[in-house]
Amino acid sequence: MSENLKFWNSVERTDPSFTKKVSYGQRSFTTIDAYYQIKTATEKFGMFGDGWGTTVEKFTFHESLLVYEAVFFYTINDKKFEFPIASSIIWKNLDKNGRVRVDDECVKKVKTDALTKAFSFLGINADVFLGRFDDNRYVNQLKKEFNEKPKPKPTAKEVIDLLLKSMNVEEAREFCIQVVGKESSSEWTSDDIQKIYEKIKQTEES
């Protein structure tokens, strides 16, 4: 893996549960939940306003267009990086009756769009921007990947209870010694417990 792509590769895959398909005329595309991206940025850079954020913000209202300009910054290993970002949005237009209609959420929308572009430059949710979400097989694989939860390791009590269902105390003790080489349960590590548990399951299934 190229060192230059190390960060990109760590953030490019997107949990499909935080995306949705949007149709605009004959065109359709995938959008990403903004707060999912904010959470990713916070995880990687730190709290908003400290580890990452925007400065030098400027909102310019033209006749029907709102332009947003700012400087996006982020920190990695206590080193600060920054680059300019910009976006625009139609903030007012005419409805079918010729009346002026104003978008009262235009400021939030234009800033969110600019942040999404900033995140995309760093590789955050890059698989969406690269069009991979057009491939159902890719999306289904991601769903499986993100929905699979690691199985919790069993406790010592759960292991002992399983052993005693089919063995007496002395047989259970000998069984554990054979698996991990330790006589006392107080000496078992979490990995030892897992080994014993898996060995019991193998024995039950055989």
Side-chain angles (χ1 to χ4, degrees):
M1 179 193 300
S2 167
E3 193 64 28
N4 291 336
L5 287 174
K6 189 174 181 179
F7 180 85
W8 181 292
N9 291 334
S10 74
V11 295
E12 69 171 340
R13 296 168 73 79
T14 303
D15 184 342
S17 63
F18 293 99
T19 68
K20 65 179 180 180
K21 284 282 187 182
V22 175
S23 296
Y24 189 76
Q26 295 184 338
R27 180 171 166 251
S28 66
F29 53 93
T30 301
T31 63
I32 311 162
D33 187 299
Y35 274 88
Y36 174 65
Q37 294 188 301
I38 289 170
K39 181 181 178 182
T40 301
T42 301
E43 178 187 358
K44 293 295 183 178
F45 308 134
M47 291 185 65
F48 175 77
D50 181 22
W52 70 279
T54 54
T55 59
V56 201
E57 291 185 314
K58 181 182 178 183
F59 295 88
T60 306
F61 286 87
H62 297 280
E63 183 174 344
S64 61
L65 191 70
L66 168 59
V67 176
Y68 171 76
E69 299 169 282
V71 173
F72 178 85
F73 73 89
Y74 63 100
T75 55
I76 295 181
N77 297 329
D78 296 323
K79 187 174 181 181
K80 184 177 180 180
F81 304 86
E82 60 182 34
F83 55 85
I85 57 174
S87 186
S88 61
I89 191 174
I90 300 293
W91 72 278
K92 72 174 181 178
N93 55 24
L94 300 178
D95 64 19
K96 61 182 180 180
N97 297 315
R99 293 174 298 196
V100 174
R101 183 173 57 188
V102 175
D103 184 348
D104 59 1
E105 293 191 335
C106 60
V107 170
K108 180 181 75 173
K109 289 178 180 177
V110 75
K111 182 170 180 176
T112 298
D113 184 62
L115 282 176
T116 294
K117 289 175 181 175
F119 295 145
S120 72
F121 295 154
L122 300 173
I124 296 176
N125 307 122
D127 53 359
V128 172
F129 301 108
L130 287 169
R132 292 178 186 163
F133 269 64
D134 295 334
D135 182 347
N136 288 331
R137 288 175 300 179
Y138 177 79
V139 175
N140 289 334
Q141 178 59 39
L142 284 182
K143 286 179 180 177
K144 182 179 178 183
E145 176 184 322
F146 280 97
N147 288 334
E148 284 182 346
K149 296 180 180 178
K151 295 180 180 178
K153 289 189 175 182
T155 65
K157 182 180 183 306
E158 289 172 333
V159 171
I160 292 170
D161 288 344
L162 272 174
L163 281 167
L164 295 180
K165 281 182 180 179
S166 56
M167 303 177 183
N168 61 40
V169 175
E170 187 59 33
E171 288 173 333
R173 175 177 169 276
E174 290 299 323
F175 181 89
C176 293
I177 291 174
Q178 291 175 16
V179 176
V180 296
K182 299 175 183 178
E183 295 192 26
S184 173
S185 62
S186 63
E187 298 175 357
W188 295 351
T189 66
S190 178
D191 286 340
D192 290 335
I193 292 170
Q194 185 71 34
K195 286 178 185 176
I196 295 168
Y197 184 81
E198 289 173 357
K199 191 70 176 178
I200 295 169
K201 286 298 184 184
Q202 289 173 9
T203 304
E204 289 180 341
E205 292 168 0
S206 61

